[in-house]
Amino acid sequence: MSYSHPDSLRGQVVVVTGAAQGIGKGVSAALLERGASVLLVDIQDDKLSATAAELQAEFNAGERLSTLSANLRDVDSVPQIVAAAVGTFGTVHGLVNNAIASNEPKPFVDITPTDLALGYDVGPRATFLLMQAVYPVMVAAGGGSIVNLGSGSGTGGEPKFGGYAAAKEAIRGLSKVAALEWGRDNIRVNVICPFAESDGVKLWKQLAPDDYAKAVGRVPMKRIGDVRTDVGALVAFLLGADSTFLTGQTIHVDGGIGSFR
């Protein structure tokens, strides 16, 4: 059965953070399209409600779609997220740690400890804590799959994104360790590094158009990725039964721009 089959994720429960817009929204759409039940998590209440209404209308998802407003900088939000997923759907089979926050772009010498803390709290710290919290639930379910969001800004470097790159590389490091330890529990952990038309990339295009244009020009496929059909489809594959022997990997879904990394 292909990962793109409309029932390929039927019966699977997935938590997606940063789901109100951009890549998180695209991923959530791809999962719902394939039959999964999805808990959309975001701090932006209005955007979260609008996204949920849009996805509900498109997929007639019914009880397969639920939302939770949460601030990932608050460590108490982590058990609330897992409890909401279990309380609504009964268990958790998949976790997509997509949420990130950043005050960049800015020159390296201008990055402040506050900037670093913002990226760290929403990125690697929240990712780490959510992985810990969901682990026993996945073990009880017989296994699961976690997809964490890295970035080519970390694997290859990107001027004016020093704090963001540091946060994303921290996520890659903890993902590798978890993959090694949790394989025996049938829990897979992989990282994707997308180059797609997310809201963050749109902002980058606005603030640094020359850098953005150069980056797109380096893509062998000469286009930027779609958050749903390119990135979301890959996440659906990594969460599904077609990738059960794939773990500990970093996959660049970027049209080939990161092929040397």
Side-chain angles (χ1 to χ4, degrees):
M1 181 181 293
S2 168
Y3 71 84
S4 62
H5 189 280
D7 286 323
S8 62
L9 293 178
R10 186 74 59 183
Q12 300 297 298
V13 175
V14 185
V15 176
V16 181
T17 68
Q21 63 185 26
I23 288 175
K25 180 180 178 180
V27 167
S28 298
L31 302 182
L32 288 166
E33 185 179 18
R34 291 159 175 80
S37 296
V38 185
L39 175 65
L40 283 65
V41 179
D42 208 289
I43 193 174
Q44 304 175 95
D45 293 337
D46 292 343
K47 285 188 177 181
L48 183 61
S49 296
T51 292
E54 179 182 336
L55 296 178
Q56 184 65 257
E58 179 175 359
F59 299 109
N60 192 25
E63 296 182 352
R64 291 193 296 115
L65 173 61
S66 185
T67 64
L68 180 67
S69 177
N71 180 1
L72 293 178
R73 300 198 78 180
D74 179 1
V75 296
D76 292 334
S77 69
V78 171
Q80 295 170 4
I81 291 169
V82 177
V86 174
T88 302
F89 300 119
T91 188
V92 178
H93 303 102
L95 171 63
V96 182
N97 285 301
N98 166 70
I100 191 65
S102 175
N103 288 329
E104 295 165 350
K106 61 174 59 177
F108 195 91
V109 295
D110 293 336
I111 298 171
T112 68
T114 301
D115 295 330
L116 286 174
L118 174 63
Y120 176 82
D121 291 351
V122 181
R125 189 181 72 174
T127 295
F128 170 78
L129 293 174
L130 277 166
M131 289 171 66
Q132 283 189 328
V134 83
Y135 170 77
V137 181
M138 287 187 171
V139 169
S145 177
I146 298 171
V147 179
N148 294 328
L149 273 286
S151 173
S153 298
T155 60
E158 187 66 43
K160 300 182 180 180
F161 285 89
Y164 180 83
K168 288 298 190 178
E169 284 297 89
I171 289 172
R172 283 216 307 149
L174 63 89
S175 299
K176 292 176 183 178
V177 174
L180 293 173
E181 292 188 11
W182 295 354
R184 63 177 62 88
D185 300 307
N186 195 32
I187 296 174
R188 297 177 292 110
V189 185
N190 291 289
V191 176
I192 65 167
C193 296
F195 185 37
E197 196 74 17
S198 67
D199 290 73
V201 169
K202 290 177 183 177
L203 179 61
W204 177 40
K205 180 180 181 180
Q206 178 182 344
L207 296 175
D210 291 342
D211 292 339
Y212 170 87
K214 290 177 183 177
V216 175
R218 294 196 302 268
V219 177
M221 298 189 74
K222 301 304 177 185
R223 69 176 178 88
I224 194 166
D226 182 85
V227 294
R228 177 170 166 181
T229 59
D230 293 318
V231 181
L234 174 61
V235 173
F237 166 72
L238 291 172
L239 293 175
D242 287 328
S243 61
T244 55
F245 201 51
L246 185 62
T247 193
Q249 304 301 307
T250 296
I251 302 173
H252 289 267
V253 50
D254 58 8
I257 193 172
S259 61
F260 63 92
R261 301 169 191 162

